[in-house]
């Protein structure tokens, strides 16, 4: 599952792949510029998820978002 996901991210230009010769073959993955550009969005999604987990049931999403 992980290798499939990494392959898909590579196809979308978010991850670059470097394979090194030898035994065993070693593969390194790194974020491309496009992948790094997603960092602020992912941080905000994480923070929103954390806030939703700690939110009281009576609170609405508008209160969470500051509206």
């Amino acid at each position: 599952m992980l290798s499939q996901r990494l392959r898909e991210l590579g196809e979308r230009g978010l991850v670059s792949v470097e394979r090194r010769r030898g035994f065993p073959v070693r593969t390194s993955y790194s974020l491309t510029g496009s992948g790094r550009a997603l960092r602020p969005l992912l941080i905000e999604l994480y923070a929103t998820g954390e806030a939703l987990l700690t939110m009281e049931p009576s609170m609405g999403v508008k209160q969470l978002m500051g509206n």
Side-chain angles (χ1 to χ4, degrees), residues 37-50:
L38 292 174
R39 189 173 192 271
L41 173 64
L42 295 173
I43 289 170
E44 192 59 38
L45 283 171
Y46 178 84
T48 301
E50 284 288 305

